[in-house]
Amino acid sequence: MTVLVIIIAVLLFGLVILIHEGGHFVTAKLCGIQVNEFAIGMGPKLFHFTKGETEYSLRLFPIGGFCAMEGEDEESNNENAFENKPIWKRALVIAMGAIMNMVLGFVFVMILLIPQQKFASTTISVFQDNSATQAAGLQVGDRITGIDGYWVNTDKDLNFALALANPNDVDLTVQRDGKTIEFSDIKFHTTQTQDGSQVLTLDFYVMPVEKNFGTVMTKTFDDTISTVRMVWASLAGIAQGRFGLKDIAGPVGTFSMIGKVASQSVENGGFRLAMENMLYIIMVITVNLAVVNLLPIPALDGGKLLLLLIEKIRRKPLNRKIEERINIVGFSLLMALMMLITVNDVVRIFNGTGIGG
């Protein structure tokens, strides 16, 4: 059963790639841009055929894909070339990959929520015995809106913010009777994990939210936004040095983690729990892909959008050679980073450690 779950997870990962590249592809076709090749996967071709002007291919390594458009990386006199289309059409084609990943993430969140009977809020309903938060002055009915400066809107925000907080020095912001109240230096109870680190233990329960069509749609939207914010906060943490290589996973580490989660889920909760966990991981991956791809980094979609913005401001494109150099440097740096992360993934697998281990 574990093997089946892993196969399904790999297929879902392929769907993430298909949706992203498909967003570029369909939009390019609608904008009258010639697509020379549409590929899922990287490396040698396993299967391919040509229909019309486009070659469709499935490649060996399921770690990416591409939509190769005429005139995207080279000069072309073809009136249907990418470079010969208006800026707004080119920008739409580039952005649509990330947009479709966000749409897919939204759908995955909804699928995860529909089976649930009720949803968690951020409003305190009951305190546990010897509660540190109650002793600090929090009351039943308080709605938590911030932890250590991180805005809290959903239970996912609450869990993420608490996971990053120093258990012995937490600042909470709550809404009580329409007023904002601040609590400083709350010392939560902690438990020790297998690797020796201390994690915060919640000492209260939150009020449930009744499930209906309206709350499902609202919760789906809010949880998708919460995931986007979680990705942004994680990227900021990497930039600030709060997270290192041990906290980052590439394709190898991701598939290793999927296998580990699949095995543990099947053992502890059966096929349904395993699928829910797999779907959650893939949901985070697709949202992460959307956010990262829009970063203004050369060789990523965000970098291409930045070049189009510069072209719009200058009212003429950058010199082709300069643009090529920018993309080559960006791509080289990106590949070097991926190689570093992949090597780190392999070392952790052989050492028997996981993400953050």
Side-chain angles (χ1 to χ4, degrees):
M1 187 179 294
T2 298
V3 174
L4 176 61
V5 174
I6 293 175
I7 292 174
I8 294 174
V10 172
L11 292 176
L12 287 173
F13 187 74
L15 177 62
V16 171
I17 298 170
L18 177 63
I19 288 294
H20 181 90
E21 299 302 336
H24 293 315
F25 174 78
V26 173
T27 309
K29 289 287 190 179
L30 291 175
C31 290
I33 296 172
Q34 179 176 319
V35 179
N36 295 328
E37 183 177 358
F38 177 75
I40 298 300
M42 305 294 284
K45 296 177 183 178
L46 296 176
F47 172 77
H48 68 99
F49 67 93
T50 300
K51 184 177 181 180
E53 63 189 18
T54 306
E55 178 185 11
Y56 301 84
S57 64
L58 178 66
R59 294 176 178 251
L60 179 60
F61 303 112
I63 56 173
F66 59 87
C67 176
M69 294 173 282
E70 176 72 17
E72 183 182 10
D73 298 315
E74 72 287 329
E75 294 183 1
S76 175
N77 295 322
N78 189 330
E79 65 178 4
N80 294 325
F82 178 83
E83 66 171 353
N84 296 328
K85 294 297 180 180
I87 289 179
W88 72 268
K89 286 189 176 182
R90 285 180 277 161
L92 185 62
V93 170
I94 291 171
M96 194 54 66
I99 292 172
M100 290 306 299
N101 278 132
M102 287 301 305
V103 172
L104 182 63
F106 183 90
V107 172
F108 283 168
V109 171
M110 184 181 297
I111 292 173
L112 287 167
L113 290 175
I114 287 176
Q116 298 182 25
Q117 298 302 312
K118 295 180 180 179
F119 307 133
S121 69
T122 61
T123 301
I124 298 173
S125 62
V126 178
F127 290 100
Q128 296 179 355
D129 295 336
N130 302 316
S131 169
T133 49
Q134 186 176 32
L138 272 73
Q139 299 178 7
V140 170
D142 286 349
R143 180 169 62 88
I144 299 174
T145 58
I147 296 177
D148 289 344
Y150 190 86
W151 175 54
V152 172
N153 182 50
T154 69
D155 59 305
K156 292 191 178 300
D157 295 330
L158 176 62
N159 292 330
F160 180 72
L162 289 175
L164 296 181
N166 181 345
N168 297 315
D169 185 16
V170 180
D171 295 338
L172 288 178
T173 304
V174 304
Q175 284 286 317
R176 180 187 298 169
D177 299 327
K179 298 179 180 179
T180 300
I181 303 176
E182 305 279 350
F183 296 89
S184 300
D185 302 330
I186 299 176
K187 294 177 173 56
F188 277 82
H189 302 303
T190 61
T191 57
Q192 186 170 326
T193 62
Q194 292 181 349
D195 63 5
S197 60
Q198 297 291 324
V199 294
L200 182 149
T201 302
L202 286 180
D203 57 12
F204 58 82
Y205 299 98
V206 296
M207 293 182 178
V209 176
E210 294 296 328
K211 176 185 173 183
N212 55 51
F213 177 79
T215 57
V216 168
M217 297 306 297
T218 300
K219 179 70 170 168
T220 300
F221 178 81
D222 288 344
D223 278 3
T224 304
I225 297 301
S226 293
T227 306
V228 173
R229 294 180 61 231
M230 179 181 70
V231 172
W232 272 114
S234 299
L235 291 173
I238 293 172
Q240 296 165 0
R242 294 181 62 187
F243 306 132
L245 273 178
K246 68 182 181 65
D247 303 302
I248 306 171
V252 174
T254 299
F255 282 117
S256 174
M257 177 178 64
I258 287 173
K260 183 177 180 180
V261 171
S263 178
Q264 292 177 345
S265 299
V266 169
E267 181 180 342
N268 297 329
F271 182 77
R272 178 175 176 177
L273 177 61
M275 286 306 305
E276 289 177 352
N277 289 338
M278 288 304 99
L279 194 59
Y280 179 79
I281 292 173
I282 301 298
M283 181 276 292
V284 173
I285 288 174
T286 190
V287 172
N288 183 82
L289 181 61
V291 173
V292 171
N293 255 280
L294 289 179
L295 293 176
I297 299 173
L300 295 181
D301 291 341
K304 296 175 182 178
L305 289 172
L306 178 61
L307 292 178
L308 288 180
L309 177 60
I310 293 173
E311 178 180 338
K312 179 68 174 179
I313 295 172
R314 297 176 73 243
R315 297 186 178 181
K316 62 178 181 179
L318 286 176
N319 181 281
R320 173 65 71 173
K321 290 184 178 180
I322 295 176
E323 184 175 341
E324 287 178 354
R325 289 171 183 170
I326 291 174
N327 286 327
I328 289 173
V329 171
F331 182 77
S332 299
L333 292 174
L334 189 62
M335 288 300 99
L337 178 61
M338 286 302 299
M339 285 297 296
L340 179 62
I341 292 174
T342 300
V343 170
N344 187 62
D345 286 343
V346 173
V347 169
R348 282 187 297 180
I349 290 172
F350 278 103
N351 287 341
T353 58
I355 305 302

